[in-house]
Amino acid sequence: MAEPAIAALAARNDKPETFAVVTYGCQMNARDGEAIAQLLAACGLVQADRADARLLVFNTCCVRDNAERRALGNIRRAVHDKRSRPGMMVAVCGCMAQESGGSAERAFPGVDIVFGTHNIRRLPEYLLRALDGGKPVADIWREAMDVEDVEELASGRGPGHKAFVIATRGCDNFCSYCVVPSVRGRERSRPMDDILRECEGLLSGGVKEITLLGQNVNSYGAGLGDGATFARLLRAVAGLGAPRVRFMTSHPKDLSDELVEVMAEVPAVCGHIHLPVQSGSDRILSLMNRSYGRERYLERLAKLRQAVPDVGVTTDLIVGFPGETDADFEDTLSLVDEAGFDAAYTFIYSPRTGTKAAAMPGRAPDEVSRERITRLIAAQEARTARVFAGLVGSDHVALVDEAARRGAREVSGKVERGISVTLPGGEGLIGRFVPVRIVSAGHNTLRGTIREG
Ligand code: SAH
Ligand code: SF4
């Protein structure tokens, strides 16, 4: 799509010469951050270090209070820096901007441009307006127009052997603690042809691993009305010749038999699933509006493990949800033991304005939540250690990502189930698949050797 604003901005001599995008939060935001960078590059701005950039774009997250506070501190500092750096511009976007709605300008004083999650493609236009008017521009749209709006504009990614591809945006689940549905809008699935076209382009550019993204990616297809399902999408992406396909995040309620089948049958689809459970207590799961109970979760997991015996399962867990008792928390601990996660992201419940849970009684005191999360982390670490120890001696294929430590001639990569492995070898291995044998297990990574032949 040709956008007049892109050409107009490219032709301007008074635009900021350089930019940096500072992204907080989830992979969806990471992909949006990439798209913003592509858009700005198309306008003739050059990506630079954060310390030198003339335009700073803060791509924010509001899912928990601490993410918000971190972003706000950095935005304030950037606004302060503008005083000593004439011509510098600061923009704020992402979920905090979306949430600020009609009071965007008041929420981010001194910021030049505020835009939401649904109108990223308008950034070149906002830059032109800010340059012309010399005053702040704020524009937050209540609902998305189109799921492929940014994707379509922001094609042509930089080099790299891995790429995120958006399959769905938004979320319809309304978990009672979560602000995502209100800042990301209703769930929209991208037409399969658009996704496949983007994937084809990436694969012909040398990408080895595609990660399909969505807040609830495995409900892909709902609303498209053409029989598309997430399992079919996975098959189709693998069918393009993608060496590896990953996906996140999956909701337990949509872990269908069809998806299990595809994971078992299609070699390119990695044996890893991020399947947030949030709590092990049925009472809390119901208050959270998660639409499954503990038994249902474990039953789905058992089905998956039966079909894909070496599947890696990771999860998200919340402690201190309103009304969570010691007994509820013990249920979470026992679930962690039973489910055998490779890893878990653990969070203390953070009340979010406008969510149902924010009005629920019985929030645990902070010290109780802190004690619970400490115990939960210890329980998961013990479990992770057992999983890792069990992998010693096993064979895998790793996709090498990066140098592990500068000068150490060691690289790190990920095996199929998503665990990092450190290997001897030089940077020439980056972006390559190597057969590995796990030789030892450390705290958070595995160590391997390259298998010959
Ligand atoms: N769509 C994904 C991710 C949502 S946000 C999913 O449903 O799994 C990522 C994680 O943040 C959630 O899984 C949840 O564990 C956590 N989270 C979301 N809102 C939270 C809140 N108000 N307080 C604490 N943790 C929260
Ligand atoms: Fe939030 Fe629940 Fe949607 Fe995940 S599924 S984004 S936790 S509302």
Side-chain angles (χ1 to χ4, degrees):
M1 185 189 297
E3 289 270 302
I6 295 179
L9 191 60
R12 294 277 291 248
N13 293 326
D14 60 343
K15 64 176 179 287
E17 284 165 16
T18 53
F19 73 93
V21 183
V22 184
T23 292
Y24 303 86
C26 65
Q27 277 81 6
M28 186 67 71
N29 252 19
R31 175 65 195 117
D32 282 349
E34 266 178 15
I36 290 165
Q38 286 157 10
L39 206 51
L40 291 171
C43 299
L45 282 77
V46 177
Q47 197 150 6
D49 276 353
R50 189 169 156 180
D52 307 320
R54 307 302 291 171
L55 167 66
L56 272 180
V57 182
F58 290 95
N59 182 23
T60 59
C61 166
C62 63
V63 83
R64 285 173 297 276
D65 184 53
N66 48 6
E68 267 191 11
R69 266 181 300 170
R70 209 152 34 95
L72 266 183
N74 286 329
I75 293 166
R76 286 204 191 105
R77 216 160 303 136
V79 167
H80 182 265
D81 288 350
K82 279 176 37 168
R83 286 190 216 158
S84 54
R85 297 168 66 186
M88 180 179 164
M89 295 175 94
V90 177
V92 177
C93 62
C95 295
M96 280 170 74
Q98 185 66 32
E99 203 186 19
S100 70
S103 51
E105 274 175 79
R106 250 174 302 140
F108 305 104
V111 166
D112 302 277
I113 298 169
V114 188
F115 58 104
T117 54
H118 304 318
N119 50 338
I120 295 173
R121 58 183 291 169
R122 296 291 174 108
L123 176 57
E125 203 177 300
Y126 302 144
L127 271 164
L128 285 171
R129 269 164 55 190
L131 289 170
D132 286 337
K135 59 179 193 325
V137 176
D139 193 16
I140 312 292
W141 293 1
R142 285 327 315 171
E143 197 46 87
M145 289 202 321
D146 217 349
V147 66
E148 75 271 69
D149 54 3
V150 193
E151 283 77 27
E152 231 183 281
L153 272 184
S155 54
R157 259 168 258 205
H161 58 276
K162 292 179 168 191
F164 290 141
V165 171
I166 288 174
T168 71
R169 282 185 181 271
C171 182
D172 285 348
N173 288 320
F174 291 97
C175 300
S176 61
Y177 50 83
C178 185
V179 76
V180 168
S182 86
V183 290
R184 288 279 176 181
R186 298 290 61 72
E187 185 180 282
R188 289 98 59 200
S189 291
R190 266 179 99 184
M192 202 185 282
D193 286 348
D194 289 1
I195 300 176
L196 295 179
R197 206 175 319 118
E198 185 178 352
C199 292
E200 255 171 353
L202 290 166
L203 293 169
S204 64
V207 164
K208 306 268 177 60
E209 180 180 298
I210 288 177
T211 302
L212 296 169
L213 291 183
Q215 295 298 342
N216 186 173
V217 75
N218 56 336
S219 73
Y220 174 81
L224 279 180
D226 57 1
T229 62
F230 183 60
R232 286 192 194 169
L233 176 65
L234 278 178
R235 261 190 215 280
V237 175
L240 296 173
R244 263 189 185 178
V245 188
R246 297 186 181 277
F247 53 97
M248 73 185 320
T249 293
S250 299
H251 196 295
K253 77 175 167 50
D254 296 314
L255 178 48
S256 64
D257 289 347
E258 195 194 4
L259 175 53
V260 169
E261 248 169 56
V262 171
M263 290 183 73
E265 284 172 16
V266 182
V269 175
C270 289
H272 171 227
I273 192 163
H274 185 63
L275 197 67
V277 64
Q278 314 297 0
S279 169
S281 151
D282 280 339
R283 207 177 61 80
I284 296 297
L285 286 169
S286 161
L287 286 171
M288 286 177 163
N289 193 29
R290 286 293 288 180
S291 66
Y292 56 85
R294 175 192 178 102
E295 284 318 308
R296 171 86 181 144
Y297 183 91
L298 290 171
E299 177 269 317
R300 289 282 81 200
L301 211 53
K303 181 110 196 188
L304 177 62
R305 286 221 159 97
Q306 203 179 13
V308 190
D310 51 0
V311 69
V313 183
T314 54
T315 202
D316 293 346
L317 295 157
I318 297 176
V319 301
F321 186 81
E324 184 186 75
T325 61
D326 286 340
D328 293 318
F329 175 66
E330 293 299 329
D331 285 345
T332 298
L333 283 179
S334 71
L335 180 108
V336 161
D337 196 44
E338 234 175 290
F341 302 118
D342 283 2
Y345 296 91
T346 50
F347 307 108
I348 292 178
Y349 168 71
S350 169
R352 304 283 75 199
T353 312
T355 59
K356 270 206 172 141
M360 288 181 187
R363 263 186 67 202
D366 288 351
E367 58 276 17
V368 170
S369 293
R370 276 200 296 271
E371 195 216 305
R372 285 182 187 162
I373 202 166
T374 307
R375 285 181 63 198
L376 186 58
I377 291 169
Q380 181 54 51
E381 278 178 356
R383 187 69 212 203
T384 300
R386 259 160 64 198
V387 173
F388 281 19
L391 289 171
V392 173
S394 60
D395 291 342
H396 304 263
V397 174
L399 176 55
V400 177
D401 288 328
E402 57 194 5
R405 272 179 297 130
R406 226 176 268 265
R409 274 197 70 79
E410 272 184 353
V411 289
S412 76
K414 286 218 169 62
V415 298
E416 299 85 342
R417 67 195 273 173
I419 302 177
S420 290
V421 57
T422 305
L423 299 165
E427 292 185 9
L429 290 177
I430 294 174
R432 294 196 13 213
F433 288 106
V434 288
V436 299
R437 175 157 299 159
I438 307 301
V439 291
S440 65
H443 190 58
N444 240 330
T445 76
L446 300 170
R447 196 164 268 284
T449 53
I450 298 178
R451 283 181 285 134
E452 300 302 329

